[in-house]
Every structure is written in C-alpha cells, then in structure tokens.
Amino acid sequence: MTPPKPADTQTATLAEIAREAGVSAPTVSKVLNGRADVAPATRTRVEELLRSYGYRRRRAEASRSPLIDLVFHELESAWAMEVIRGVENVARDAGLSVVLSESAGRLSPGRTWADQVAARRPHGVVLVLSELDESQRALLTSRSIPFVVMDPAGDPGPDVPSVGATNWQGGLAATRHLVEMGHRRIGAISGPARMMCSRARVDGYRAALETAGLPVDQRLVKAGDFHHDAGYRLGLELLRMPDRPTAVFTGNDLQALGLYEAARELGLRIPEDVSVVGFDDLPVARWVGPPLTTVRQPLTEMAEAAARLVLEMGRAAEATTATRVELATSLVVRSSTAAPATGRDRSAGK
C-alpha cells in the first residue's frame, strides 16, 4: 500500500481511501461509523489511512448521543464513587447522562468496548486510571470522539489530554508531617508499581526522608495494590518487625484502613504505638476511630475538570492541543498521628 500524501485539509473522499486500502467504499463507511462487522486487519488499514488524511466526521452536536462515557479499570470502592459524582455533576448541568464501563482490572479496555463507544457516539470519554492503545485512539479520533485520561496509570504521552493531582507533593507532605513530629523509622505501603501516581507518592516519601537526612530503609517500603487487604497483610509484616516503624504512610486510605485492622489484631494503638497517614481523604477517613490523617486528593474536582475538558474539546471547531491539568493535594491532619512514644515496650504486638 502506497503511503498517502500528507493532507493539509480533508481532501480524500471515501472512494479514494477505499481504493487505496483495497476495499469497497461501504467498508470504509462501516469503519468510519464504528460497525463491528469488519475484519480487524482491514479496520486497522482503513483507520491508518483515515488518520493519515486527517479524515474526521464533522463535529455536529446533533450526531452525538447525549452521553459521556466513564471508564474505570476497577469499579469497587468509595474512591470510584467520588469520581462518578464529579462527572455526574458536569453531565447533569450539560443535560447529558453518564455510561459506566469497567475493564475488569485491565489498564486498557478491550477492543469490543472501543467499537461500542464508536457506535453510540458519546460527547466524550473520560478514562480513570486507564489508557488506550494506538488503535483505540485512532478509532475515537477518526469519529471525532474526544477523550481525557484522569489520574493516568502511565505516561499518557504529549498528545493525550489528562487530569491528575500533585501526587509527589502529597507524598512529600505526608512524610514531612511525620518527620516533623519526631518519627525516624517511617514505613510506606505503596500502590501498584505500574501506576504513575503510586510511584510519584513513594518518590515524595523518599524525598522527604532524604531531605531530613534520614536513610530510606527498603525493608520498610512495601508494594501494595490500593486495596484494604494489601494494607492489612503488609501492615502485619511491618508491625511484626523486631524494630518496627513508629509511623506508616500508606498510598491510599483503603490501605490505611487495612493497616488499622492489622494494628488492632496485634494489640497496637493508633497513634500511641504507630502513627498512620493515608492518601485520598475519602469520607470514611473522618469516620474511623481515630479519624485518619490523610492527603486530600480532590477526586470530585478532578473528575469535574476531566468532564468539562472533554466537553470543551467536543465543542472546539478544530482539534485542540493536548492539556495536562494537575490539581493540588493538601494534608489534612486528624487524630491518627502523634509524636512517637519514648521508651515503649518494643515487644508489644510481637
């Protein structure tokens, strides 16, 4: 197949694209309209040509369904509810509805999902802790369906609009708070290493220790998965150490709650025996006993920003430059942190 000439404007007709791809014009039309009855290899070939020629369907509002697609890699916690609330706020004001999808733990939704989105033509797609592969991006772009990634799992790339939070600064603030209270052995339970937000929080933790002249003891850094069970299991490991940490920074509030359970099982008190700092500031952080010191990640505001951005992109007459938005995190001090006890019985809880 001869590569097409770069097009300054949309000059190729469907018939010309069909001829270059070696298919019929109705097949090109099926690809353009997101029909599923096209062979994958044919679809890929046609989409490459559509993208090369800059071919896009007109951004007519009337051709879109009154929907925003919201895609989670997992949909099972209070964290997700805060995100849904934010997208719903913006959608409601715009007279739109929200369609929820989950990719069953995969960071990228399957091909079937992309075809379904193309077929229903929403006003836009917000992906949470997810990412699109190249073919999915091409499919949405060729249909003029804008998309934004919220809290991207990896580097979204310079051409992908995204909304996140100051995760590194949050990890720094959480750990610095513990250092300033007098803690010197500070553990950490991170989220998945594959997620950019998780790595940034742990990097902030390390930076706070190094700035304070404290060593980073790798035995005190545990890799979790942002779930309660990981906080419990890894919390037991940390708190059973002969020289256990006097404080622990967890990568999210759910893992902090798991750590609470581990401490109770070992007969340790929070904050008298171990201080705990979470990340997210979910509503439950205020209700647990003791109320959790945590880093507030403005989840609802992040979701609102992502939804507004995707609608603005849909209204734009031309493709806009990719935008990276970062909302500030802030430390919320409650009752789960205190100065370390002096001369305490290290054998407690062993």
Side-chain angles (χ1 to χ4, degrees):
M1 182 174 66
T2 304
K5 299 176 182 178
D8 296 328
T9 60
Q10 184 177 308
T11 56
T13 66
L14 290 185
E16 290 168 337
I17 291 175
R19 184 165 55 252
E20 194 152 355
V23 299
S24 66
T27 297
V28 175
S29 180
K30 286 181 180 180
V31 172
L32 188 61
N33 287 283
R35 293 274 297 277
D37 52 339
V38 178
T42 301
R43 181 188 300 278
T44 299
R45 187 163 69 250
V46 172
E47 285 176 348
E48 286 176 354
L49 285 166
L50 289 169
R51 187 169 67 255
S52 297
Y53 276 111
Y55 196 100
R56 300 187 182 194
R57 184 177 290 273
R58 290 186 179 87
R59 295 180 178 269
E61 293 290 326
S63 69
R64 297 180 180 148
S65 300
L67 304 170
I68 294 177
D69 265 71
L70 176 57
V71 185
F72 289 89
H73 85 295
E74 288 181 332
L75 184 58
E76 61 175 32
S77 72
W79 189 96
M81 293 305 300
E82 296 299 301
V83 175
I84 293 170
R85 180 176 295 112
V87 175
E88 283 277 10
N89 290 343
V90 174
R92 183 173 55 252
D93 290 345
L96 306 176
S97 299
V98 178
V99 175
L100 291 179
S101 302
E102 184 195 43
S103 53
R106 300 187 305 269
L107 292 185
S108 179
R111 178 70 205 206
T112 301
W113 167 85
D115 288 335
Q116 291 170 346
V117 171
R120 63 177 167 258
R121 294 188 178 281
H123 278 244
V125 178
V126 176
L127 299 114
V128 184
L129 281 174
S130 300
E131 55 194 25
L132 298 177
D133 61 33
E134 190 59 38
S135 66
Q136 291 168 335
R137 292 186 194 183
L139 178 60
L140 297 186
T141 299
S142 69
R143 307 303 185 281
S144 294
I145 300 173
F147 57 90
V148 172
V149 179
M150 177 184 154
D151 218 0
D155 182 3
D159 59 336
V160 177
S162 61
V163 176
T166 54
N167 290 292
W168 183 89
Q169 184 63 40
L172 179 79
T175 311
R176 181 175 289 165
H177 167 68
L178 294 170
V179 169
E180 290 174 349
M181 299 193 86
H183 294 277
R184 295 298 177 262
R185 283 185 62 75
I186 302 172
I189 301 176
S190 74
R194 62 181 178 171
M195 292 188 178
M196 187 166 63
C197 61
S198 173
R199 296 196 300 270
R201 293 169 195 177
V202 175
D203 286 345
Y205 155 85
R206 291 194 176 100
L209 293 180
E210 291 169 355
T211 301
L214 299 174
V216 178
D217 187 343
Q218 291 301 326
R219 296 174 303 165
L220 299 182
V221 181
K222 305 292 184 180
D225 59 10
F226 284 155
H227 292 94
H228 174 278
D229 288 350
Y232 169 72
R233 173 175 50 83
L234 298 173
L236 287 176
E237 291 183 16
L238 288 171
L239 299 180
R240 282 174 172 162
M241 295 176 68
D243 191 15
R244 58 178 168 79
T246 62
V248 180
F249 165 53
T250 65
N252 71 339
D253 289 349
L254 293 180
Q255 291 185 145
L257 298 182
L259 180 62
Y260 269 45
E261 184 178 347
R264 283 195 299 270
E265 184 171 311
L266 297 176
L268 299 175
R269 299 165 300 166
I270 298 172
E272 292 85 355
D273 297 313
V274 59
S275 289
V276 180
V277 181
F279 201 110
D280 282 335
D281 195 24
L282 300 177
V284 70
R286 302 189 296 273
W287 306 334
V288 294
L292 177 65
T293 295
T294 187
V295 176
R296 181 176 186 272
Q297 181 175 208
L299 293 170
T300 300
E301 292 89 337
M302 290 164 62
E304 289 173 343
R308 282 194 295 267
L309 178 57
V310 84
L311 293 182
E312 289 169 4
M313 292 167 61
R315 288 191 291 265
E318 299 179 356
T320 56
T321 303
T323 301
R324 168 67 181 172
V325 177
E326 276 200 348
L327 276 65
T329 55
S330 58
L331 182 68
V332 180
V333 179
R334 298 193 179 101
S335 306
S336 67
T337 51
T342 58
R344 69 185 179 188
D345 182 4
R346 281 286 189 177
S347 65
K350 290 168 63 176

